[in-house]
Amino acid sequence: MSIPERTELLVLDGVLTADQAARTVHGIRAVQRPDGAIPWFRHHHLDPWDHTESAMALDVAGEHEAAERAYDWLARHQNEDGSWYAAYRDGDPADVTDRGRETNFVAYVAVGVWHHYLSTGDDAFLDRMWPTVSAAIECVLRLQQPGGQIGWKRDEDGTPVNDALLTGSSSIHHALRCALALAEQREEPQPDWELALGSLRHAIRRHPDRFLDKSRYSMDWYYPVLGGALRGAEAQARIEADWEKFVVPGLGVRCVVPNPWVTGGESAELALALWAMGESDRALTILQDIQHLRDPRTGLYWTGYVFEDRAVWPEELTTWTAGSVLLAVAALGGDEATCSVFGGEQLPVGVEPDCCR
C-alpha cells in the first residue's frame, strides 16, 4: 500500500497518522469502480452527493486521476434535464434504485468540480465539466420557490416536490457559490444565479418558516453554517444553542434526537463547520472522539454507533463517512483547495433581497 502523495496534510494528532491516512485513502480507492463510480460500499448503491464527497477526499490525498474519473462518471450519466437519479446500484447507470431527483444531490457537483479545479489548476477539466455543472444548476433553480428556498426534489414521474429542506437548501447555497466561482473563472457572468443565491441565503438566514421542520436532525442544526449561509455571530449563536442537544462528549454527534446514535458523517461535517467558524480546537476534539468508528483493517469508518447498546449500527463501512473525515482533516491541516471551498471567504455571496429591512 503506497503512502498518499500529500500525506502531511492528512496527519492530525489523535485522528490520523500517515499510515492510517494512507489506509483510509486506499479504502476509498478499493471501492471505486473502474468506470469511476464510488458507491457507499461494494454491492450497495451510489448517490451523486456522497459520490462527489468521496471524490473530493481523493483529491486532498493527491489522487487526482481517480477523482477526475469520478467526475467523468457524473458527466457521462447526467440526465437530459441536468439531474441525476437519487440512487444507482453499485454505480450501474442501467440499474437505478431510486428515480427521484433530489436537488441538493444534483447541485453538489459544483462543489466537487470547483474543489478539483483548485486542487489541480486543470483548465481542460474545467472546460469539459462546465456544461455538466451549468445544466445541473439550471435544473435545481427550476425548483426555487418565490421565497428563495429550493424545492426538495422531483418524483419519479417528474412531479416537483416544492416543500424545502433546510439541510438541502443550505447545501445548495454552498453549491451555488461554487458554481458562481466557476463562472467567474470562465468569465461567464451568471446574474440570475447571483439573484437566486442571494434569495436563498436570505431565506436561510431570516425565514426558517419556509422550510420543513426537521429540527430533530443535527444536519439542520449545523448545515446553515457548513453551507456558508451563516458566519460570525450568527453561526456562533446557532451552534451554541443546540450543542448539548446533539453532541455526545467522547463519542460524536447524534444524527437525530432523542436516538442514542452517533454518526461519523455528521460528526466530521460538524468539525468542518466548526473549523469554518474558527473553532479549530473543538473541531479537533470532535474528530478525535469519533475514532472509535474507525475500522483499522480497511481504514474506513462505520456509519454509526448506538451507544446505549454499545453496538455499531448499521454494519456498513461507508466511503462517504471516510471522505468526510479526510475533508475535515484536510481543512484543519491547511489544504488550500479544501480551505477555500469550505472557508468560503473568496466565494460569491449573491445579491440578497431587502424585504426584511
Side-chain angles (χ1 to χ4, degrees):
M1 181 179 62
S2 62
I3 300 294
E5 175 187 333
R6 305 171 74 225
T7 303
E8 72 280 358
L9 293 174
L10 298 176
V11 174
L12 191 61
D13 185 41
V15 181
L16 291 176
T17 65
D19 287 343
Q20 288 171 334
R23 190 165 295 279
T24 299
V25 174
H26 178 77
I28 296 173
R29 286 292 311 273
V31 176
Q32 187 177 30
R33 291 160 48 100
D35 65 357
I38 310 176
W40 285 22
F41 50 88
R42 282 292 177 87
H43 310 303
H44 195 60
H45 75 248
L46 170 153
D47 75 71
W49 200 103
D50 291 311
H51 165 90
T52 299
E53 183 173 51
S54 297
M56 293 168 69
L58 293 175
D59 265 325
V60 301
E63 297 280 356
H64 302 312
E65 186 275 334
E68 186 169 334
R69 286 193 293 113
Y71 294 117
D72 286 342
W73 187 94
L74 289 173
R76 290 196 305 273
H77 299 124
Q78 189 173 32
N79 295 322
E80 289 186 5
D81 67 353
S83 71
W84 290 272
Y85 295 121
Y88 303 79
R89 190 180 305 281
D90 200 4
D92 183 351
D95 192 358
V96 178
T97 59
D98 184 346
R99 292 185 175 273
R101 287 160 279 172
E102 299 189 21
T103 48
N104 65 307
F105 284 13
V106 175
Y108 207 61
V109 64
V111 180
V113 168
W114 182 235
H115 183 261
H116 184 78
Y117 178 73
L118 292 177
S119 298
T120 63
D122 186 344
D123 289 310
F125 168 82
L126 179 55
D127 291 343
R128 188 170 74 251
M129 288 300 299
W130 173 248
T132 300
V133 172
S134 180
I137 295 301
E138 292 293 339
C139 172
V140 168
L141 292 183
R142 286 194 285 272
L143 270 75
Q144 187 166 34
Q145 304 304 300
Q149 70 276 25
I150 308 291
W152 174 22
K153 66 176 183 177
R154 288 189 186 275
D155 284 331
E156 180 176 344
D157 63 0
T159 302
V161 177
N162 294 327
D163 291 333
L165 301 174
L166 180 59
T167 294
S169 285
S170 296
S171 178
I172 293 168
H173 176 272
H174 188 199
L176 278 170
R177 297 183 75 192
C178 292
L180 281 165
L182 286 163
E184 287 183 1
Q185 182 65 31
R186 289 180 54 80
E187 299 183 350
E188 294 190 27
Q190 303 291 331
D192 289 346
W193 295 3
E194 292 189 38
L195 292 171
L197 171 60
S199 181
L200 175 57
R201 179 185 180 90
H202 184 76
I204 294 168
R205 294 179 63 221
R206 296 286 182 256
H207 298 282
D209 55 294
R210 294 177 183 172
F211 302 91
L212 295 176
D213 181 7
K214 301 290 183 180
S215 56
R216 294 175 56 233
Y217 293 84
S218 60
M219 290 203 302
D220 258 32
W221 167 49
Y222 65 76
Y223 243 92
V225 180
L226 181 61
L230 299 184
R231 284 290 186 261
E234 288 181 327
Q236 194 73 41
R238 186 175 186 87
I239 294 302
E240 295 303 331
D242 284 334
W243 182 268
E244 294 185 1
K245 176 179 175 181
F246 289 112
V247 177
V248 183
L251 291 177
V253 177
R254 293 178 191 258
C255 177
V256 56
V257 294
N259 298 3
W261 182 44
V262 294
T263 48
E266 276 82 351
S267 299
E269 287 181 341
L270 174 62
L272 260 178
L274 290 167
W275 168 84
M277 293 166 50
E279 295 271 358
S280 294
D281 289 345
R282 283 209 286 184
L284 174 60
T285 298
I286 293 291
L287 291 175
Q288 291 171 337
D289 285 350
I290 61 170
Q291 293 314 302
H292 66 97
L293 295 173
R294 181 180 177 83
D295 174 49
R297 180 180 59 85
T298 64
L300 298 175
Y301 287 76
W302 299 105
T303 299
Y305 178 74
V306 181
F307 50 85
E308 284 189 356
D309 297 336
R310 299 183 181 180
V312 165
W313 185 84
E315 293 188 6
E316 300 173 347
L317 292 165
T318 41
T319 51
W320 50 268
T321 301
S324 67
V325 172
L326 290 178
L327 286 169
V329 169
L332 285 165
D335 176 54
E336 290 186 12
T338 306
C339 290
S340 178
V341 166
F342 288 98
E345 288 84 357
Q346 304 302 318
L347 292 177
V349 297
V351 181
E352 277 200 51
D354 60 0
C355 68
C356 293
R357 296 174 187 166

